[in-house]
Amino acid sequence: MSRISRRQFLQNSSIAGAGFWIAGRQTGYGQEKSPNAKLNIAMLASGGRGAANLKEVGGENIVALCDVNAKNVDSAAKVHPNAKKYSDFRKVYDDAKDFDAVVVSTCEHTHAFATLPALQLGKHVYCEKPLTHGVWEARVIQEAAKKAKVATQMGTQMHASENYRRIVELVQSGVAGPIRECHVWVERTWGRQSPEDAAAYNDIVSTQERPTEEMTPPPTLDWDLWLGPAPYRPFNTVYFPGPKWYRWWDFGSGTMSDLGSHSNDLPFWALKLDHPKTIEGFGPPPHPEIAPASFRAVYEYGQRGDLPPVKLTWYQGQERPPGLKDGTIPAAYKSGCLFVGDKASIVGNYSKHQVLPEDKFKEYKYTGDPIPKSLGHWAEWIHAAKTDLKTTCNFGYSGPLTEANHLASIAYRLGKKLEWDPVNLKCTNAPEADRLLHREYRKGWELKG
């Protein structure tokens, strides 16, 4: 199968089998409308994260409910009985005139396919994290969003929290001095590991290889649509329901792209990170199909304006930062982020933070200008769609974050320190990375020019 370039794709893009074409940008929700007017929203996935997102945007007009599992659509329709029902999100776009915005909550491997046509049609998009299943897809979505000039937001809900704002203020205040080192760790230990470790770390499923048993899908589930662009495989309960699927490379990228969207968001924001220069991954021998429960990745970022180069290390599962072992990081931070500066360190997580060493900075109070309070992650997107299009996790910000997370998984899978060229989307020292940067799609789902 021949590959296409991003340029070719963006010049004339369509989705095979989607039943629509794009002939120039069509206008979505006009900015001349009152902020008090309601958006017409299509929900692309209505169960799982889709159900949670639906509760958050349900005050708008929900005009379309889509899910590959009819049970989820029927459940959502009890609250929104006037919405049209769909099983295939591609068919939703046949009725694009009916809606102004979409909320994409499908599985990771179909995010790009659900999001791209909305951008091409000039629709506002809220997409669950991670933004896409791979690096090339993330760049395609960023460039399409730039052209579309619509309100976009990735579902990194912690970005709207007050605690994250306080941490960013501290880091950027200079109280710790220049930050040259950062550590991010998550306690979750899901993925390929021994049955004993899976039990010990409360994994939601234990599997070490692809199952050979073929099971019958639930009667309400369209398994072929669920697979979408991924290679066909028989149904099995090790994949479904979610989030079991996210450990399989064909459908997700493990904990890194999932929780990394939240946890790496903090240093990305506070340190104004962009594209790493190098990425290296460490862990158990990589499996061709399943992401690891535990692994570590090291990024090297160059200077950004007056900010010095910084090394960021990611730890998940049984991998832990040295500070948790020697006690320099308080034990209460089971998951968290440590910014190491020339004068002090700052540690934080979703709910708390402090400057270290604690005895020296116990009385310290930040007195600078506060980062404005968020309207709320979903409310921010809705307001932007009706007014100025400005959100804090727009695809221009969350796209590079998504790319960086995926690059760590690629470095781990290849067992090689990657040198990254963000302009040409190439690992300059590893041509073998190309197949992981841009996956092949099942027939009928290729993104093609």
Side-chain angles (χ1 to χ4, degrees):
M1 174 181 173
S2 61
R3 296 194 183 280
I4 63 165
S5 70
R6 290 184 297 112
R7 181 172 297 175
Q8 289 173 315
F9 171 79
L10 291 168
Q11 283 175 341
N12 182 21
S13 179
S14 64
I15 294 184
F20 65 87
W21 66 92
I22 309 303
R25 180 180 179 270
Q26 300 182 27
T27 303
Y29 193 93
Q31 291 187 49
E32 73 278 2
K33 299 289 184 68
S34 165
N36 296 321
K38 291 190 174 184
L39 287 176
N40 294 323
I41 296 179
M43 299 297 300
L44 306 188
S46 306
R49 286 302 309 158
N53 289 331
L54 180 56
K55 289 180 181 178
E56 298 292 341
V57 303
E60 304 299 304
N61 292 328
I62 306 302
V63 299
L65 295 168
C66 181
D67 203 287
V68 295
N69 191 342
K71 182 175 68 173
N72 294 333
V73 172
D74 291 342
S75 177
K78 292 177 182 177
V79 182
H80 301 280
N82 297 323
K84 291 183 181 179
K85 298 179 182 180
Y86 302 83
S87 59
D88 186 340
F89 62 72
R90 297 172 296 181
K91 298 297 184 184
V92 175
Y93 290 109
D94 290 342
D95 299 320
K97 66 183 185 303
D98 295 342
F99 55 89
D100 312 302
V102 302
V103 175
V104 176
S105 311
T106 62
C107 295
E108 179 180 332
H109 65 292
T110 54
H111 279 184
F113 289 88
T115 296
L116 183 61
L119 295 172
Q120 292 173 321
L121 286 163
K123 309 297 183 181
H124 307 291
V125 185
Y126 181 102
C127 181
E128 261 305 326
K129 48 77 184 165
L131 184 59
T132 62
H133 186 247
V135 173
W136 180 80
E137 291 178 351
R139 188 63 62 86
V140 167
I141 294 300
Q142 290 170 70
E143 295 186 5
K146 189 186 301 182
K147 290 183 177 181
K149 295 182 172 59
V150 294
T152 61
Q153 185 90 306
M154 186 173 81
T156 44
Q157 297 82 11
M158 293 311 303
H159 198 96
S161 73
E162 284 296 288
N163 189 59
Y164 263 30
R165 279 161 168 69
R166 303 295 81 80
I167 297 170
V168 172
E169 289 166 357
L170 285 173
V171 172
Q172 296 183 352
S173 73
V175 64
I179 305 295
R180 307 180 196 277
E181 184 182 330
C182 183
H183 301 266
V184 181
W185 63 100
V186 295
E187 187 179 22
R188 181 184 289 177
T189 312
W190 292 0
R192 191 171 190 271
Q193 58 190 324
S194 70
E196 294 76 19
D197 281 349
Y201 293 103
N202 298 310
D203 201 345
I204 56 174
V205 65
S206 176
T207 181
Q208 289 72 47
E209 302 294 338
R210 182 194 287 222
T212 56
E213 180 184 2
E214 180 173 352
M215 298 181 177
T216 301
T220 58
L221 174 67
D222 187 324
W223 178 242
D224 189 71
L225 274 181
W226 188 94
L227 287 171
Y232 181 82
R233 66 175 70 197
F235 175 82
N236 192 286
T237 54
V238 299
Y239 314 124
F240 181 91
K244 295 176 181 178
W245 51 264
Y246 96 2
R247 71 195 58 218
W248 297 90
W249 295 123
D250 276 352
F251 310 131
S253 301
T255 298
M256 166 50 101
S257 66
D258 184 56
L259 293 187
S261 299
H262 293 301
S263 298
N264 283 333
D265 172 39
L266 183 54
F268 234 80
W269 183 6
L271 299 175
K272 302 178 182 178
L273 299 179
D274 42 30
H275 300 286
K277 289 184 173 296
T278 66
I279 316 96
E280 193 168 10
F282 306 89
H287 189 273
E289 295 208 66
I290 308 173
S294 301
F295 97 109
R296 174 171 54 94
V298 178
Y299 297 88
E300 293 176 345
Y301 286 91
Q303 188 157 334
R304 289 104 42 232
D306 58 355
L307 298 176
V310 62
K311 181 172 78 171
L312 185 153
T313 306
W314 162 271
Y315 313 79
Q316 71 177 56
Q318 297 184 55
E319 291 279 354
R320 314 297 280 163
L324 276 181
K325 299 173 183 177
D326 64 21
T328 55
I329 298 174
Y333 291 90
K334 304 295 185 184
S335 296
C337 179
L338 178 72
F339 299 90
V340 181
D342 291 354
K343 301 177 183 178
S345 295
I346 299 166
V347 64
N349 59 16
Y350 292 173
S351 60
K352 56 185 177 291
H353 64 271
Q354 60 194 94
V355 184
L356 303 173
E358 190 174 7
D359 56 351
K360 181 178 179 181
F361 290 93
K362 186 164 51 177
E363 304 300 324
Y364 176 80
K365 299 291 183 185
Y366 172 75
T367 57
D369 294 333
I371 297 172
K373 184 180 178 67
S374 173
L375 295 172
H377 204 61
W378 296 266
E380 183 182 297
W381 172 68
I382 290 170
H383 180 264
K386 298 176 182 180
T387 57
D388 60 6
L389 307 181
K390 294 179 181 178
T391 59
T392 55
C393 286
N394 60 73
F395 295 168
Y397 170 85
S398 55
L401 169 61
T402 300
E403 289 181 21
N405 286 338
H406 284 313
L407 284 169
S409 295
I410 293 173
Y412 159 72
R413 293 174 73 179
L414 295 179
K416 191 172 188 178
K417 185 175 184 178
L418 302 179
E419 298 171 0
W420 180 235
D421 174 357
V423 175
N424 296 301
L425 291 183
K426 290 284 186 181
C427 296
T428 56
N429 66 327
E432 65 271 28
D434 286 355
R435 65 181 177 83
L436 300 178
L437 293 167
H438 180 1
R439 60 185 169 136
E440 295 185 357
Y441 303 120
R442 193 158 62 113
K443 185 178 179 181
W445 288 89
E446 283 89 0
L447 296 171
K448 66 179 185 179

